Amino acid sequence: MDKFIISGGHSLKGAVTAGGSKNAALPILLSALLTDEECIIGRVPLLRDIETTFKLLEYHGKKVSFSKGVARIAPHKKLVTEAPYDLVKQMRASVLVAGPLLARFHKASVPLPGGCAIGMRPIDIHITALARLGAKIDNANGNLLLSADKLRGARIRFPFPSVGATENLMMCAALVPGVTILENVAMEPEIDDLLDCLVKMGAEMSREKGGRIRINGVKKLRGVKHDVIADRVETGTYLLAGAATRGRVTVKKSCPEHLASLLEHLARAGVRVSYTADSITVDSSKVRPRSVSIHTEPHPGFPTDLQAPWMSLMCVSHGSGEVKEDIFENRFMHAPELARMGALIAVDGHTAAVEGVPSLSGAEVMASDIRGGAALVVAALAAKGETTVQRIYHIDRGYERMEKKLASLGAKIRRVKG
Ligand code: UD1
């Protein structure tokens, strides 16, 4: 298993370019299942989860080619409606094939994704909402079986604005006769990117006042050429690495609007933040950041995917504060690893109290999920001495060429193949 060796304590300086959003690319690539025409998706980051998505599309009957960030998904053979456990267990987002397959073939079989390191993550909201469109739901041998004689549009109010359930329902309802209105849905920018892509494919779909999504089902969708938005989580991670190392970092081709909550919290921490329409700069070269508490919320609140790297910044900030994780039930696995580096963190249920220390020290640590792994890298860059981050295959699921991007900012980081 590959690992990173990081010699910390050097301020990051310079500029990197944001990659395309993993979380937007996954549903957009899968929406190719909604059409028999070619879909050309640009600014796709080459990540483990994207490769899993390509395999999933190929398994279902598409032909995928990928070059220089552009994925071409072409019709190939008759589509298969049963998703394979081997791929679904690698990536929870695979459950997003359910909506498109159900809409097109009135049947789908998807292995239940099971738990994952950051919590139970059930799919009850997806299932209940698909049932409201007319799907019959069964569970056999660990598989979710969906079938329908007839699907029809419905008004559906989600009990929680689940990102995945919103995407699954948008893709399904795009081809379901009648009007579907989705209420209390996710407001994340990745949802609107999927919406834009579906509209280009011929879907009749819009965001209405208050955030609800209105869909008028159409008979057929066409191929599309679409570029994915910038990855706000990757962008935020590099900005936090800049702030934690008392550096000055610019992320180009990023979207400040999508990171409003993070930027506001950084400014409150005393980090100088400036931005243009498509780049963001943080500068903490002249002042040690102050600790600022966060609690995670659905967008536009503080994103759960930046909770862990924010905690790393708090570990080296002046003063103390709290991190409250309100989206996932078990998302503090990075805390004991940060403690190995000298961080002062006390976890109590969904809350972690963090007391900043003047500096962390290098240690052997282990990543256990994508963003927790990124947090260890941020801490290692700020720490004195050498840190080894094990199990970076988690980080590779969500960050493209992380070590190259960080090295271009002056980080002393290398990958050791194993
Ligand atoms: C997506 C993102 C992930 C991000 C999360 C929240 C992708 C590929 N992943 O994950 O990076 O951290 O949004 O912003 O886009 N829940 C239920 N029942 C359901 C669905 C969700 O109880 O049917 C719960 C989950 O267990 C979790 C919370 O709702 O506690 C948020 O889940 P959801 O918004 O669905 O996140 P994902 O789509 O899985």
Side-chain angles (χ1 to χ4, degrees), residues 39 63 66 68 87 102 176 182 231 236 281 297-298 301 326 335 368 371 381 400 411:
C39 296
K63 189 170 185 306
F66 182 78
K68 295 184 183 148
L87 296 177
L102 179 69
V176 167
L182 304 175
D231 195 310
T281 300
E297 284 179 298
D326 285 332
S368 48
R371 311 305 171 186
L381 292 167
E400 191 179 21

Side-chain angles (χ1 to χ4, degrees), residues 22-23 26 92-93 120-126 160-165 167 188 304-305 327-329 331 371:
K22 166 180 87 77
N23 286 354
L26 297 181
R92 191 187 136 82
M120 279 291 293
R121 304 181 83 176
I123 52 165
D124 54 312
I125 303 174
H126 302 236
F160 175 85
S162 154
V163 171
E167 293 165 345
E188 272 68 4
T304 173
D305 286 345
I327 305 289
F328 291 106
E329 73 262 32
R331 211 174 192 180
R371 311 305 171 186

